[in-house]
Structures are given as structure tokens and as C-alpha cells.
Amino acid sequence: MMRRAFIALFILVLASGTAAQRPPGPTRVLFVGNSLTASTDVPARLAKLARAMGRDVVVDAVTANDYSLEDHWKDGRAQKRLAERWDFVVLQQG
């Protein structure tokens, strides 16, 4: 299941908008999740695959073990990061 989700996300990132639709620069992707995102290092895997295909990407993550999306919201760190400019935000919860 995780593999299918990763492949679908990657296809979405690669297919995202043309240069005329997006501001210039790398595609920026933020992951917000828990250990399911962090322990498998999905953000770094996406970045490595995209770069191998010649795509310019910036990938970052806000993760915490056993956190739900509600926990992230209450914590505030994810809210601060969401205020930055991201082309895609991937929300993951157990």
C-alpha cells in the first residue's frame, strides 16, 4: 500500500503544472506525518527519485512518532511550515 501511494505521489509531482502555471524554481513538497513517513524516509526517497529523473525538487518533512494530524495542528510546528510556499503538501496519518 505504501509503495502504491509513493508511486502515485511521485507521478503527481512529475506531472504538476507547466512553467507558465508555476513560479520558477524547484517543485517544493512538504510531508506532515508520523513514524510511517519518517521511518521509511519517504521524503528523501521522493527527492532522490525526482533528481535522478532530472527534476529540481525541494523536499522537507514535519514528523513525530505517534502523531495524528490533530497532534501536529496542536503542536504548531506544522502550522508554521504550512505558512511557507509549498507546491504540494502530503498529509499522512496512521
Side-chain angles (χ1 to χ4, degrees):
M1 182 69 168
M2 182 71 147
R3 185 177 188 168
R4 278 191 235 151
F6 179 72
I7 292 169
L9 171 68
F10 184 68
I11 290 169
L12 181 65
V13 169
L14 289 181
S16 67
T18 65
Q21 295 171 320
R22 288 189 334 99
T27 300
R28 295 174 44 86
V29 183
L30 177 68
F31 286 82
V32 178
N34 56 35
S35 60
L36 294 174
T37 296
S39 67
T40 56
D41 208 3
V42 174
R45 291 170 64 188
L46 174 69
K48 182 178 178 181
L49 186 55
R51 289 183 187 119
M53 298 181 74
R55 299 294 296 226
D56 189 14
V57 297
V58 171
V59 179
D60 206 352
V62 178
T63 62
N65 290 341
D66 299 322
Y67 261 40
S68 68
L69 295 175
E70 182 179 359
D71 294 328
H72 277 294
W73 189 255
K74 290 177 181 177
D75 178 83
R77 289 181 298 138
Q79 287 187 53
K80 289 178 185 171
R81 297 304 310 276
L82 289 168
E84 300 170 16
R85 186 188 68 80
W86 298 100
D87 297 304
F88 297 94
V89 176
V90 180
L91 302 174
Q92 174 271 314
Q93 177 170 308

